[in-house]
Amino acid sequence: MEKVRANIRVNGIVQGVGFRPFIHKQISDHSLLGWIRNTSSGAEIEIEGTPERVQLFLEELWTKAPKLALIETVDYDMLPDLKHYTEFEIIQSKTEAERNTLISPDVCICDDCLAELRDPKNRRYRYPFINCTNCGPRFTIIKDVPYDRPKTTMGSFPMCVPCDREYHEITDRRYHAQPTCCPDCGPQLQYYGADGTLLADGRDLDWKNRAAAYSDPAEPDPVKLAAADLAAGKIVAVKGLGGIHLACRFDDPKIPAELRKRKHRDEKPFAVMCADARAARRRCAVSPAEARILESFRRPIVLLRKHDRASLPQISENAYVGVMLPYTPVHYLLFDELERYGVDSLVMTSANLSDLPILYRNSEAFEKLRGIADAFLLNDRDIHVRCDDSLMYVVNGSEYPLRRSRGYVPFPVTSFKPLPPILACGAEQKASFCLSKGRYVFPSQHIGDLKNIETYENYIQQIDHFERLYDIRPELAVCDLHPDYLSTQYAEESGLPVLKVQHHFAHMASCMADNRLDEAVIGIVWDGTGLGTDGTIWGAEFFTGDYGGFVRRGSIWPISLPGGDRVTHEIWRTGLSLLLDAGEDPEYAARSGGSSAEAFSRTHAAQVKTQLSLGLNCPRASSMGRLFDGVSAILGIRTEASYEGQGAILLEAAAADSCERVYNYILEERGGMLVFDWRPVIRQICTDLKDAAPQEVIAASFMNTLVAMAAETAERIAEDTGLHKAVLSGGSFQNMYMLARLPGELEKRGIMPYIHNRVAANDEGLSLGQLMIAERKMR
Ligand SMILES: [Zn+2]
Ligand SMILES: [Zn+2]
């Protein structure tokens, strides 16, 4: 039969993801001959075979490629002459001499391993560390490169003969799976009591006759014991991939209430783990896209809308619950056991104390969770790198990251062009960093608030770790303009040339890079606070510009913040400030059914009035986050925030979806900028309060007004500048109410909206923007 020759270029992430064994299998399945080699942008393949086989091979590149491979484009040429290849060869490329192989994120257990886990005849039946080339721990166990077993925390578990055989067989699913193991050679679970007494050890189980032994109810199986304790209402620490969780059932609200008390976590929502998507659907609405992302191998926490906003108050006080599905074999074994107790969901919250980094070592678990955990389900495989669960909304069918961490990191986001080596140091409270190499930008995992010394130490360690893993020696450090951020201080002490970038400009650039835009755009950047180029505090900005620079074209009337940093918790202060600036009587507003009389008492009002008039510790900020806080306080939704953003989150949750009302507002030209004056809006809110308008209507009207204001401002900027693309970034765009409306309003005005989809809109995503701005400066 006639043959053809095809030369195929695959662009994307295809190295270090099991792509070549996959190609090897496809080639032999389709009786093709030729070669494959890695290239700087992916892989080049040449094959000869019948036209049908070649066509099928091309199609299956898209449909059957390993799940970690991110194929962007496939180009091919059908060539006239045959080379008459006699075999299929893997050609070593020059780039392989460099450390160019990508390191995989941690991947949830695959279907094949899950089936083996539940198969009594399999030698890995009920073995909690089963994994293969397609699944298991990666990033969190890797100590150094090149990635092979001795350089992981699996190095202390030498492979047994059967495991070694599988490892070396190219047709085996465990071919070159570095963490592969079995009950004979791998780690085991241990179960400990509250005081650290060992209660059961997987090593003591009869693995040769596992099925028979398991049917004995008295068998001391760590999983059985943990499940029984969880079912009985105990709080159990469970070691996962990137750290330790605290788990408990929540169908009885007293149990999570006890966990909150012990963990000193008042009101912040807990994430939950549901046995499967069906269990999630019993509590929340799950769209097909949400189900796809919940069930993806990355297994992020997905914020799902509750069926009833008021349900599950013991888990979440807002309209959403963060849900994830099991991702390790241990999680599956636990839920399989819990089924007999009728439990299909657990609270699964990171084990840490008041915003410190997640615990990840057995020894610290016993020490730091004393008095919190009733028991510990741990194991003897060390976690080398801590990595929290990722957190996603799903917007228009795509991921909208709030936290990009486990399952995503350390995979790069691809850039639309090659980049020099740069270290972008990020912000402070939601710290992250990025390192670049070629067409890849490597964002770090979730780090946390650098003001905690342990978090800052982890930040420094992770920068070193990433630099070593990817062999990156940055030529420049880029950081925030704010001199007090610890990330700024890190950059200054790094010994590298330093570039400082304005906070909101970096947000704008981040959303541009996220969407692969490289042209002038309109940036709508709303968040808490960041230092502006004029020395004042910004936080609700309209810019135009590209990576090379920006012009500030719009903002909001600055808000006085009596008490400085205290306003982030004592949000009644901002509420009073808004009322007084708008000329309203706080006491009257409170009496009219708004905020509590105590928060807006005469004493408080007098105190704030004095501070305002003297300008005493009373910075002014054009901050969207603070505007939300203040309105939340005026409406009596919250007067104090017990966690970051609580006022804004609950204001969003309070809004009626069906309300279209918009308050009258003023856009004023001031100093070459369009300034939104919120004072008339505050006055209308007070009128509404006096008229006893429902809170859900006021909350919706307020956010509708912001959407209308943003759309009008952008439209006027578009008219002046001829720019018709707008990027939306900053922490305030974690607000799903506004995110569901503003893009549509922009489109109506002929402006193409762009939102984040690969990195977070909040400060965690900032470092990507810093990096792109620095790249432009270096040219
Ligand atoms: Zn597997
Ligand atoms: Zn083995």
Side-chain angles (χ1 to χ4, degrees), residues 123-124 159-160 163 181-186:
R123 73 186 185 96
R124 294 185 178 89
M159 268 181 234
C160 66
C163 283
C181 56
C182 73
D184 283 339
C185 64

Side-chain angles (χ1 to χ4, degrees), residues 97 194 212 249 396-397 405 449 479 510 516-517 564 605 621 677 688 700:
R249 61 193 291 179
N396 304 330
S405 202
D449 188 345
C479 63
S510 171
R516 299 181 171 90
L517 293 172
D677 189 340
D688 270 351

Side-chain angles (χ1 to χ4, degrees), residues 472-639:
I472 299 175
R473 281 173 291 270
E475 293 166 7
L476 179 92
V478 49
C479 63
D480 199 272
L481 207 55
H482 203 304
D484 299 339
Y485 282 1
L486 283 159
S487 51
T488 304
Q489 294 180 15
Y490 177 84
E492 284 170 340
E493 287 161 14
S494 67
L496 296 168
V498 175
L499 176 71
K500 295 186 177 180
V501 171
Q502 201 279 323
H503 192 88
H504 306 98
F505 179 35
H507 271 304
M508 168 173 146
S510 171
C511 194
M512 289 169 60
D514 199 336
N515 289 285
R516 299 181 171 90
L517 293 172
D518 189 12
E519 62 195 284
V521 298
I522 300 168
I524 306 177
V525 183
W526 290 356
D527 76 345
T529 52
L531 185 59
T533 50
D534 59 0
T536 68
I537 305 168
W538 296 0
E541 310 307 315
F542 293 85
F543 292 159
T544 55
D546 56 21
Y547 301 117
F550 71 97
V551 178
R552 193 183 186 204
R553 301 207 179 252
S555 188
I556 65 169
W557 178 248
I559 301 165
S560 295
L561 303 174
D565 286 345
R566 288 172 73 180
V567 299
T568 52
H569 291 293
E570 298 173 9
I571 63 176
W572 55 266
R573 292 173 171 275
T574 311
L576 277 175
S577 168
L578 298 182
L579 288 171
L580 292 168
D581 202 356
E584 290 289 324
D585 174 4
E587 255 194 293
Y588 190 70
R591 266 207 315 279
S592 312
S595 194
S596 73
E598 192 203 337
F600 285 179
S601 67
R602 199 164 295 181
T603 331
H604 275 168
Q607 184 193 338
V608 164
K609 219 179 248 177
T610 314
Q611 268 181 318
L612 289 174
S613 61
L614 296 176
L616 219 63
N617 190 20
C618 219
R620 279 156 66 83
S622 60
S623 162
M624 187 53 72
R626 298 296 88 81
L627 184 61
F628 266 87
D629 284 351
V631 171
S632 192
I634 292 170
L635 296 186
I637 292 170
R638 290 300 299 190
T639 52

Side-chain angles (χ1 to χ4, degrees), residues 107 260 435 458 729:
V107 180
R260 280 188 198 283
L435 282 156
N458 187 39
S729 192

Side-chain angles (χ1 to χ4, degrees), residues 301-531:
I301 300 171
V302 178
L303 286 157
L304 299 173
R305 223 178 153 83
K306 295 176 192 168
H307 290 307
D308 170 8
R309 189 179 296 183
S311 67
L312 299 171
Q314 69 272 36
I315 297 302
S316 159
E317 56 178 1
N318 65 58
Y320 293 85
V321 181
V323 176
M324 60 183 148
L325 300 187
Y327 52 88
T328 66
V330 178
H331 297 147
Y332 276 97
L333 291 171
L334 263 182
F335 277 106
D336 285 354
E337 286 301 307
L338 284 165
E339 207 181 333
R340 74 179 67 187
Y341 301 97
V343 176
D344 67 1
S345 300
L346 295 169
V347 163
M348 196 58 85
T349 182
S350 297
N352 54 0
L353 297 172
S354 40
D355 293 330
L356 289 173
I358 185 170
L359 299 176
Y360 70 120
R361 290 195 180 104
N362 293 3
S363 56
E364 28 169 46
F366 293 128
E367 182 195 329
K368 301 204 167 144
L369 298 178
R370 187 177 293 273
I372 298 179
D374 296 314
F376 298 84
L377 183 60
L378 305 178
N379 64 64
D380 48 11
R381 183 178 71 200
D382 288 340
I383 297 172
H384 185 66
V385 167
R386 48 161 84 83
C387 194
D388 279 77
D389 297 314
S390 294
L391 184 60
M392 301 281 154
Y393 273 114
V394 177
V395 179
N396 304 330
S398 295
E399 290 170 345
Y400 187 77
L402 304 188
R403 185 199 291 159
R404 183 186 184 275
S405 202
R406 179 188 48 76
Y408 297 81
V409 174
F411 246 31
V413 298
T414 51
S415 158
F416 49 84
K417 60 175 173 187
L419 303 165
I422 299 170
L423 167 65
C425 298
E428 180 170 81
Q429 204 189 14
K430 284 189 187 339
S432 81
F433 60 84
C434 275
L435 282 156
S436 52
K437 182 178 191 174
R439 285 178 65 249
Y440 294 146
V441 177
F442 298 96
S444 72
Q445 71 270 45
H446 167 78
I447 304 275
D449 188 345
L450 296 184
K451 285 195 287 292
N452 297 311
I453 181 75
E454 285 177 52
T455 311
Y456 185 57
E457 280 167 2
N458 187 39
Y459 171 81
I460 295 170
Q461 283 165 11
Q462 291 308 310
I463 292 175
D464 287 347
H465 191 53
F466 271 66
E467 287 181 353
R468 196 168 58 247
L469 288 187
Y470 289 117
D471 193 26
I472 299 175
R473 281 173 291 270
E475 293 166 7
L476 179 92
V478 49
C479 63
D480 199 272
L481 207 55
H482 203 304
D484 299 339
Y485 282 1
L486 283 159
S487 51
T488 304
Q489 294 180 15
Y490 177 84
E492 284 170 340
E493 287 161 14
S494 67
L496 296 168
V498 175
L499 176 71
K500 295 186 177 180
V501 171
Q502 201 279 323
H503 192 88
H504 306 98
F505 179 35
H507 271 304
M508 168 173 146
S510 171
C511 194
M512 289 169 60
D514 199 336
N515 289 285
R516 299 181 171 90
L517 293 172
D518 189 12
E519 62 195 284
V521 298
I522 300 168
I524 306 177
V525 183
W526 290 356
D527 76 345
T529 52
L531 185 59

